[in-house]
Amino acid sequence: ITKIDGKDVPTVLDEAVKLIRGKKGTTVTLTIVRQGNEIPVTVMRDKVEVKSVIYQKQGNTGVIKVTRFNANTNELFEQEYAKAEKDGVKGLVIDLRNDPGGLLDEVIGFTSYFVDAGNTVVVERDAEQHEDAMTTVPVAKRITMPMVVLVNKGSASASEIFAGAMQDLGRAKVVGETTFGKG
């Protein structure tokens, strides 16, 4: 994309995204470069639903990619994990690479699928040093199969909390690059 509504694309991604986003039903013209030619493309703005959990089977391993911990991530995870069970996978890879995080309550619930209820996932500490431990909750079915968690420098916040909890609780091996460093 070289232009947004005829103006050069800002060098800061967030600024470009703000120009592209807008009220549902309105249009924006994006100038794109294809095979060296600039082509204007007018698109209608609409709500885009991004699936935050994606499953695929690789051999006898289920790979579950979590792109972000949204309000419906746990519900989507249950659906995708059901596919993995149906496929008869023997182990899981939870791929959190480039997952920028999301909602704390969602990641606490997500962690609950893998460890017993009552395990501390994260401790919040306020300015007065009061601590509030967030613990796993009971779930209908706990997942016990072997598991690896993938992270990289784009894994931040809630994804770091999950990876750290899995590592600290001895539930999974964490593999990859050093994470972003928020959590």
Side-chain angles (χ1 to χ4, degrees):
I1 301 173
T2 58
K3 295 185 188 306
I4 302 168
D5 282 335
K7 297 177 183 159
D8 289 337
V9 175
T11 56
V12 177
L13 179 62
D14 287 344
E15 291 176 23
V17 169
K18 285 178 187 175
L19 292 174
I20 294 171
R21 287 183 177 160
K23 187 176 178 180
K24 180 179 175 174
T26 62
T27 60
V28 61
T29 300
L30 307 174
T31 303
I32 61 171
V33 176
R34 184 173 292 152
Q35 297 176 345
N37 298 317
E38 285 193 340
I39 304 165
V41 178
T42 301
V43 294
M44 178 87 54
R45 292 178 174 115
D46 201 347
K47 184 175 182 180
V48 177
E49 293 291 333
V50 178
K51 195 171 179 186
S52 66
V53 182
I54 303 156
Y55 162 74
Q56 71 178 153
K57 182 180 179 189
Q58 292 187 1
N60 62 357
T61 302
V63 179
I64 297 180
K65 171 79 176 150
V66 180
T67 61
R68 158 175 253 116
F69 286 94
N70 293 333
N72 65 345
T73 296
N74 291 331
E75 178 183 327
L76 291 171
F77 172 74
E78 287 180 13
Q79 294 168 12
E80 297 301 296
Y81 180 71
K83 294 176 189 175
E85 277 188 310
K86 185 177 179 189
D87 285 345
V89 301
K90 303 293 182 209
L92 283 179
V93 173
I94 305 296
D95 186 351
L96 301 177
R97 292 174 297 175
N98 299 313
D99 177 335
L103 303 172
L104 182 58
D105 287 346
E106 266 321 276
V107 77
I108 299 298
F110 191 77
T111 305
S112 298
Y113 291 113
F114 303 100
V115 296
D116 291 330
N119 277 289
T120 299
V121 177
V122 68
V123 177
E124 288 185 320
R125 194 174 295 122
D126 65 19
E128 289 82 39
Q129 300 303 307
H130 296 110
E131 292 185 353
D132 183 21
M134 308 277 182
T135 60
T136 51
V137 297
V139 292
K141 185 174 188 179
R142 195 165 67 79
I143 300 165
T144 59
M145 69 176 64
M147 178 170 93
V148 170
V149 178
L150 298 180
V151 295
N152 68 2
K153 62 186 175 188
S155 306
S157 190
S159 61
E160 290 176 301
I161 290 170
F162 176 77
M166 293 297 94
Q167 180 175 293
D168 290 351
L169 295 169
R171 178 58 183 89
K173 184 166 183 76
V174 177
V175 179
E177 301 175 326
T178 302
T179 60
F180 186 78
K182 279 190 200 174

